[in-house]
Amino acid sequence: MTDQLPAADLTAPQAATPQPKNTLALVALILAIVGFVFACMPGALIVGWILLPIAFLLGLVATFQKGKKGKAIAAILLSIVGTIVGVVVFMGVVAKAADDAFGGGEASVTEPGDAESGEGEATKDDEAKEDAPAAAIGTRENPAALGSEIAADDWKVTINSVTLGAGEQILAANMLNEVADEGSEYILVNYTVTYIGDDADGQMPAFVGLEYVTAAGNTVDATAKLVVAPDAMDTMSTLYSGASATGNTVIQVPSPVDGVIAVRAGMLADKVFVATK
């Protein structure tokens, strides 16, 4: 008699097959974490920018491999967030570097009378005093006087004089200079710049800006008509801390002259307005 084998119990639970470890996902996550940390450090941004794209690519590949996907997805998300953070930190570093390089911040005005009497500086953003409701010194409504000292972080500028109707001087300065256009005239602006920053490599006066603003609010700069000024300011020679340079610039402006000179004591400095006479 043949022995019968017991029937297999098909209802019995089967043992779950363990999923293989996704080693690549773990590597991607570690790189993403390390890259994120470095992306938050201004002095080590480059390391973060190298590691984060690698982590992103490895995480992307890991999602197609067998095993759990959680670490791979986390690596992808963290690398994206880290890149965004890195860009924000980088923009902050660039903004600070530009401010340090070009000079910026609030400009101050010291008029000739203030320097002699010891009244000190008056910033162009100061509110008018209760007993003197006029606009703050250095605005278009109340321009600073000729000879005023305008200072920002890195530069100090003084408009020494403005010569109106300087056509004859301009024509005599260079044979290639042309007569001013009809309805316009040349003004000759003599100014002094002093570098007061601490950059060991110095800076060039080209970072100081001069423009003419009409009473109607139109801006005219020295590039409106290119001519050679007598005793022109050397804007390309480097000045070191405490050094000064004096020279002229020419601007063709509409006649009659009814505007003011706009001065920037540094590329990012506030504008201060100075009278033409």
Side-chain angles (χ1 to χ4, degrees):
M1 190 176 204
T2 304
D3 294 336
Q4 293 183 348
L5 297 174
D9 188 359
L10 300 178
T11 62
Q14 301 295 317
T17 303
Q19 291 185 335
K21 292 182 179 181
N22 196 333
T23 305
L24 189 61
L26 179 60
V27 173
L29 182 58
I30 293 174
L31 290 178
I33 293 172
V34 176
F36 183 91
V37 172
F38 278 107
C40 298
M41 302 167 60
L45 276 171
I46 187 65
V47 178
W49 283 9
I50 293 173
L51 295 180
L52 289 172
I54 296 174
F56 178 82
L57 293 175
L58 292 179
L60 199 61
V61 173
T63 58
F64 295 97
Q65 293 189 336
K66 293 181 179 180
K68 295 181 179 180
K69 315 294 185 185
K71 291 184 177 65
I73 295 173
I76 292 172
L77 295 177
L78 190 59
S79 62
I80 293 174
V81 174
T83 301
I84 295 173
V85 171
V87 171
V88 173
V89 174
F90 175 74
M91 295 302 294
V93 171
V94 170
K96 185 179 184 304
D99 184 68
D100 292 342
F102 303 136
E106 183 177 335
S108 63
V109 181
T110 302
E111 292 195 300
D114 295 339
E116 295 175 2
S117 61
E119 293 180 5
E121 297 180 344
T123 63
K124 79 180 189 68
D125 293 325
D126 286 343
E127 295 182 356
K129 297 178 181 179
E130 294 181 359
D131 58 347
I137 297 173
T139 59
R140 284 181 60 209
E141 296 77 13
N142 185 19
L146 288 171
S148 297
E149 184 180 274
I150 300 157
D153 290 347
D154 288 342
W155 291 97
K156 186 166 58 178
V157 184
T158 301
I159 304 297
N160 303 311
S161 64
V162 178
T163 304
L164 310 183
E168 292 185 5
Q169 293 173 257
I170 304 307
L171 293 177
N174 190 288
M175 62 181 299
L176 298 179
N177 287 346
E178 299 178 350
V179 176
D181 297 339
E182 185 176 355
S184 301
E185 64 182 86
Y186 291 123
I187 62 173
L188 189 64
V189 182
N190 180 270
Y191 65 108
T192 298
V193 294
T194 303
Y195 180 58
I196 57 176
D198 56 4
D199 188 344
D201 294 326
Q203 289 188 20
M204 297 181 296
F207 292 131
V208 172
L210 293 183
E211 298 173 328
Y212 174 81
V213 182
T214 67
N218 301 102
T219 299
V220 184
D221 62 27
T223 62
K225 190 176 182 71
L226 297 177
V227 293
V228 178
D231 299 321
M233 170 68 77
D234 183 0
T235 60
M236 302 306 293
S237 293
T238 301
L239 297 179
Y240 295 88
S241 187
S244 298
T246 299
N248 296 317
T249 189
V250 179
I251 307 176
Q252 178 182 269
V253 304
S255 294
V257 178
D258 57 5
V260 293
I261 304 297
V263 180
R264 280 191 188 274
M267 188 172 290
L268 302 180
D270 295 335
K271 281 186 179 179
V272 172
F273 298 91
V274 178
T276 56
K277 50 189 175 182

